[in-house]
Amino acid sequence: MKKTLLALVLALPIAVCLAIAAWPQGFGLEQTPIIAQVVAPRVGVICIALVLLVLFALLARWEAPRRFALTVVTMLLLFALVSGSLHFSRGAGSTGLERAEGDVTVVTWNTLGDEPGVDALVELIQETDADIVALPETRGAFAAEAAVRMRELGKPFWAHTTHFSEQYGALSTSLLISADLGSYTTDLEIGQTRTLPTIVARPDDGTGPVIVATHPVAPIPQQMRNWRQDLEFVAGLCNGIDSVIMAGDFNSTLDHWASLGVDGGDLGRCVDAAGAAGAGTAGTWPTELPSWLGAQIDHVVATPDWQVVDAHVLTDRDSFGTDHRPVVAVLRFTPNE
């Protein structure tokens, strides 16, 4: 009895750590240092837990640590089951809808400073029949060239760019909007993400959605405060006042947004397209890892007046020079739903 009690006491700190890693939002810790980094690659953490499970199972062969080892094995198994269920529940469904005339296709692709090249971007736009293309880490000249090429191909786009420095591609964000959606102007008064730029474009005629290309900073130790404030800023854009379509590299997963959802939304009142379409388990970063192992930090989100028809992560461009995968979402305007 004493040995069992001692095993439980020794295992208690491990149990606490596993509980937090499985569901940090339950403790309000999803945006805290270390935990924010750990929760992003859920599958990776599950794999580590399974390796530890095997090691502790081997340790249980010796009598002295057996009770402690078996207790830890049980906790690791429960962690893997709970965390795995949470993760894979985001990719187990489908909308069952098919694209129809009038639907809007949104693409986001962090190009890592124009790395894929204009030809690859134009090919992606044509392949997906995109109407909106959010391009974090993309310079204005690159976006403008792509817009010219698309005009020559018969589908003109407006090109918008905001930059904090023209020298570094990471400090630029570009946005392409199909001329079929009307003309747009960048809103320079609404505010900004703090380290990497965001574009908020409003329709010139007052009709149509506000379109946002965003790039909150990554949650590295020296940027945690800016990261949290960036996420609060983009969540505030989905406040229900405007119809909003937003896409980009959010440097965050659905887990990180737990405290930012409003009225059933994932981020403010916006709903994550991949999550709604059952594609929430495919990692968009980094391309060096298979999609099932990476983190989904690139997103397309929209206010509830936009129904998600389809969403998926493209995995056939992993060798194109950027460490992010494109996300494609098809949205349908449904103002009365």
Side-chain angles (χ1 to χ4, degrees):
M1 182 66 181
K2 290 182 178 179
K3 290 183 178 180
T4 301
L5 183 60
L6 179 61
L8 291 174
V9 170
L10 291 174
L12 183 59
I14 299 175
V16 172
C17 291
L18 290 174
I20 293 172
W23 193 244
Q25 47 269 60
F27 303 88
L29 298 174
E30 71 278 2
Q31 293 184 10
T32 58
I34 300 177
I35 297 171
Q37 289 80 12
V38 167
V39 73
R42 269 192 181 272
V43 175
V45 177
I46 293 170
C47 290
I48 293 172
L50 293 176
V51 171
L52 292 174
L53 187 153
V54 172
L55 294 176
F56 274 95
L58 293 174
L59 185 63
R61 296 172 62 186
W62 284 271
E63 184 176 354
R66 183 170 297 158
R67 287 183 174 85
F68 171 71
L70 290 177
T71 300
V72 174
V73 165
T74 302
M75 293 190 300
L76 288 168
L77 181 59
L78 288 173
F79 167 79
L81 291 173
V82 172
S83 192
S85 298
L86 290 170
H87 177 73
F88 291 107
S89 67
R90 295 168 178 168
S94 172
T95 65
L97 301 173
E98 295 184 1
R99 179 168 179 163
E101 185 176 354
D103 290 349
V104 174
T105 299
V106 186
V107 173
T108 181
W109 197 13
N110 181 325
T111 68
L112 195 64
D114 315 338
E115 279 297 322
V118 173
D119 288 344
L121 177 58
V122 169
E123 181 183 5
L124 174 63
I125 295 172
Q126 289 184 293
E127 177 185 310
T128 59
D129 194 22
D131 302 293
I132 298 168
V133 186
L135 298 166
E137 300 195 23
T138 304
R139 296 178 178 89
F142 183 93
E145 185 179 349
V148 170
R149 291 277 298 280
M150 289 305 301
R151 182 184 63 197
E152 293 170 349
L153 292 169
K155 186 172 182 177
F157 279 79
W158 301 105
H160 302 257
T161 298
T162 296
H163 61 81
F164 293 159
S165 170
E166 291 184 295
Q167 184 177 358
Y168 301 102
L171 298 178
S172 295
T173 298
S174 293
L175 173 64
L176 300 177
I177 303 174
S178 171
D180 293 339
L181 299 180
S183 61
Y184 276 73
T185 299
T186 300
D187 185 344
L188 300 176
E189 305 297 328
I190 195 168
Q192 258 294 356
T193 39
R194 299 171 65 89
T195 305
L196 305 171
T198 289
I199 298 172
V200 179
R202 296 186 181 276
D204 291 339
D205 62 3
T207 63
V210 173
I211 300 174
V212 182
T214 192
H215 194 188
V217 72
I220 57 178
Q222 61 269 35
Q223 292 284 359
M224 290 300 297
R225 181 179 179 183
N226 287 336
W227 175 68
R228 287 189 289 265
Q229 291 181 343
D230 282 354
L231 293 182
E232 290 172 1
F233 170 74
V234 295
L237 297 176
C238 292
N239 56 18
I241 297 174
D242 297 307
S243 174
V244 174
I245 294 175
M246 178 161 44
D249 174 5
F250 289 73
N251 274 311
S252 53
T253 69
L254 286 171
D255 288 308
H256 297 127
W257 299 355
S259 64
L260 299 173
V262 177
D263 294 340
D266 296 310
L267 187 67
R269 287 181 170 81
C270 284
V271 173
D272 179 65
T281 59
T284 62
W285 175 88
T287 54
E288 289 80 6
L289 296 177
S291 61
W292 59 267
L293 187 56
Q296 189 171 106
I297 61 174
D298 301 84
H299 303 270
V300 176
V301 304
T303 44
D305 52 338
W306 292 92
Q307 181 183 24
V308 178
V309 176
D310 183 35
H312 54 281
V313 176
L314 297 181
T315 59
D316 59 352
R317 289 168 167 80
D318 289 0
S319 61
F320 278 44
T322 174
D323 54 351
H324 288 254
R325 297 184 176 97
V327 178
V328 183
V330 180
L331 306 176
R332 181 172 299 161
F333 187 53
T334 54
N336 297 321
E337 295 188 11

